[in-house]
Amino acid sequence: MRQREQKAQGTFDKTLTSISRRVLSIAVIFLGIIMSAGVMIALSIRLPLAQIMAAMRNITSGDLDRPVQGTTAKDEVGAMARAVEVFRENAIAKRKTEDELRAAKEKAESALLELNAAQQNLIDAERLAALGGLVAGVAHEVNNPIGISLTVASSFARRSEIFESDLRTEPLRRSKLDEFVRASRDASQQLVANLQRAGELIQSFKQVAVDRSHAERRQFALSEATDQIVASLRPVLKKAAIALSVDVPEGLLIDGYPGAYGQILTNLFLNAVNHAFADGRSGNITISARGRGADDVEIIFADDGAGMTPDVQRQAFDPFFTTRRNEGGT
C-alpha cells in the first residue's frame, strides 16, 4: 500500500508539474501577446499624436504648407487631427487676410502720398498765379507815378533848354529867373512825390511777394500787412464799382505766416469780386480786425453782394469745391 501510495504521489507530482509548466507557458504566451498588443496600441496612439504635435509646431512656426496627417482616422486621435487641420486652415485664412490688409494699407499710404503731392502742386500753382496777378498789379500801379514823373521831367528839360537859349540871346531878367526857379521847385516837388509814391508801392509789392513765395513764420503787424495786400488789390477795384474799407487798428501783432494771411485775404477778395459782385454789380467790401483776449485776433471779411445759395453753403468748405469748374476754377 505504501508503494502504491508513493507511486500515486509521484504520478500526481509529475502531472502537477506538467500542468504547472503548461500553465506557465500559456501565461507567458498570453503575457507576450498582451505586451505586444500594448506596444502596438501604444504605437498606434503615440505616432499620430507625434504627428499632431509636429503639425502644431509647424503651424506655430509659420509653416502652414504641410497638411496634418491622420485626419481620415475615425477615432478620437483622428478627431484631434481634424481639429488641428481646421486650426491650420484658419491660420492660412488669417495670413491671407493680413496680407490683403497690408497691401491695402500700402496702397492707401501710396495714394495719400500722391494726394499730398497733388495738393502741394495745387498750392504752388495757386501761389504762382497769385504772384502773376501781383506782377500785373505792380505794372499797373507803378505806371502812374512813373508816367507822371516822366512827363514832369520832360517838361522840366524843355524849360531848361528854353531858359538856356534865352540866356544866350538876351540879358537875364529877375522875373524870368524867379519864374524858372518856381517852375523848377514845382517840378522837383512833383518828381520827389511821385517817385516816393512809386518807391512805396514797389516796397509794398516786394514784401507781399516775399511773403507769398516764402512760407516762413515771423512776427508781423496786421495793419501793415493788410495795407500792403490791399495795395496789390487796388487795380481790381478800379475796374469794378466796389468800395473797399479797411478797419485794422495799429498795434495788433501776429506771430504766424504773412504769406498765408495774404493768400487767404486775396482769395476772399477775388472770390467776392467774381461771385458776390458778378456782372458789374456795385457794393461794399469791409475788412476789420480786433483783439480778443491776450492771444487771439478776430479778422472779419464781409461784403454785401449776392451771397450763396443753400446748396453752395453746404459745400463751401469742401476741399476743391468751386461753382466755376467749367470755367477753370479750382
Side-chain angles (χ1 to χ4, degrees):
M1 290 295 293
R2 182 177 295 277
Q3 292 178 350
R4 289 179 180 177
E5 289 178 358
Q6 292 178 349
K7 185 179 181 179
Q9 184 66 37
T11 303
F12 177 76
D13 291 339
K14 290 180 181 180
T15 303
L16 182 61
T17 301
S18 176
I19 292 173
S20 298
R21 289 177 178 174
R22 290 180 181 179
V23 170
L24 182 60
S25 299
I26 294 172
V28 169
I29 292 172
F30 273 105
L31 181 61
I33 294 174
I34 291 172
M35 291 180 64
S36 299
V39 170
M40 293 180 63
I41 293 174
L43 290 176
S44 66
I45 296 175
R46 183 177 180 277
L47 182 60
L49 288 178
Q51 293 176 344
I52 293 174
M53 291 177 63
M56 287 295 296
R57 283 194 295 269
N58 293 334
I59 293 173
T60 55
S61 63
D63 184 8
L64 304 177
D65 297 330
R66 300 179 185 180
V68 179
Q69 302 294 327
T71 55
T72 57
K74 305 300 183 181
D75 53 8
E76 290 78 1
V77 176
M80 293 176 60
R82 286 189 291 273
V84 174
E85 176 64 16
V86 171
F87 182 75
R88 186 182 74 90
E89 293 176 352
N90 290 338
I92 293 174
K94 180 176 178 290
R95 173 186 288 181
K96 183 178 179 181
T97 302
E98 290 176 350
D99 293 340
E100 293 175 351
L101 287 175
R102 189 179 298 107
K105 178 184 176 183
E106 293 175 354
K107 187 175 181 180
E109 291 176 348
S110 176
L112 180 60
L113 291 175
E114 293 177 357
L115 181 61
N116 289 335
Q119 183 182 21
Q120 186 60 44
N121 290 335
L122 285 175
I123 293 173
D124 294 339
E126 187 174 0
R127 184 179 292 118
L128 290 176
L131 287 175
L134 186 62
V135 171
V138 170
H140 183 85
E141 285 294 310
V142 175
N143 183 63
N144 289 334
I146 293 296
I148 295 173
S149 298
L150 181 60
T151 301
V152 172
S154 300
S155 176
F156 180 67
R158 285 195 301 270
R159 286 176 179 271
S160 298
E161 292 175 357
I162 294 173
F163 183 74
E164 183 181 6
S165 177
D166 291 341
L167 284 177
R168 292 175 181 176
T169 57
E170 59 184 35
L172 179 62
R173 290 181 295 181
R174 184 171 184 104
S175 59
K176 185 170 289 189
L177 180 59
D178 291 340
E179 181 183 356
F180 179 76
V181 171
R182 184 171 56 255
S184 299
R185 185 185 301 110
D186 292 340
S188 63
Q189 290 177 350
Q190 292 185 42
L191 283 173
V192 170
N194 283 280
L195 291 177
Q196 186 175 3
R197 171 60 179 163
E200 292 174 353
L201 287 172
I202 292 174
Q203 182 62 30
S204 175
F205 288 127
K206 179 181 177 181
Q207 185 60 51
V208 174
V210 169
D211 288 338
R212 296 287 180 85
S213 58
H214 296 84
E216 295 181 357
R217 180 172 177 171
R218 65 179 178 87
Q219 189 177 82
F220 63 95
L222 187 62
S223 59
E224 181 181 351
T226 304
D227 291 340
Q228 292 172 350
I229 296 163
V230 169
S232 69
L233 301 174
R234 291 293 180 186
V236 179
L237 289 175
K238 293 182 178 180
K239 301 176 183 179
I242 302 173
L244 175 61
S245 62
V246 180
D247 181 17
V248 180
E250 300 285 343
L252 290 179
L253 297 179
I254 302 294
D255 181 14
Y257 302 89
Y261 171 65
Q263 188 174 2
I264 292 170
L265 200 59
T266 300
N267 287 347
L268 288 173
F269 178 83
L270 296 179
N271 188 77
V273 172
N274 294 328
H275 295 274
F277 304 107
D279 302 325
R281 178 174 177 172
S282 62
N284 300 281
I285 295 177
T286 59
I287 302 173
S288 60
R290 61 176 180 174
R292 296 190 62 177
D295 300 323
D296 297 330
V297 173
E298 181 182 50
I299 304 171
I300 300 175
F301 182 98
D303 65 73
D304 56 0
M308 293 183 288
T309 64
D311 291 337
V312 174
Q313 289 182 23
R314 282 193 295 270
Q315 305 177 73
F317 291 99
D318 291 346
F320 310 114
F321 171 74
T322 176
T323 59
R324 293 190 175 184
R325 191 172 304 279
N326 296 331
E327 302 175 18
T330 59

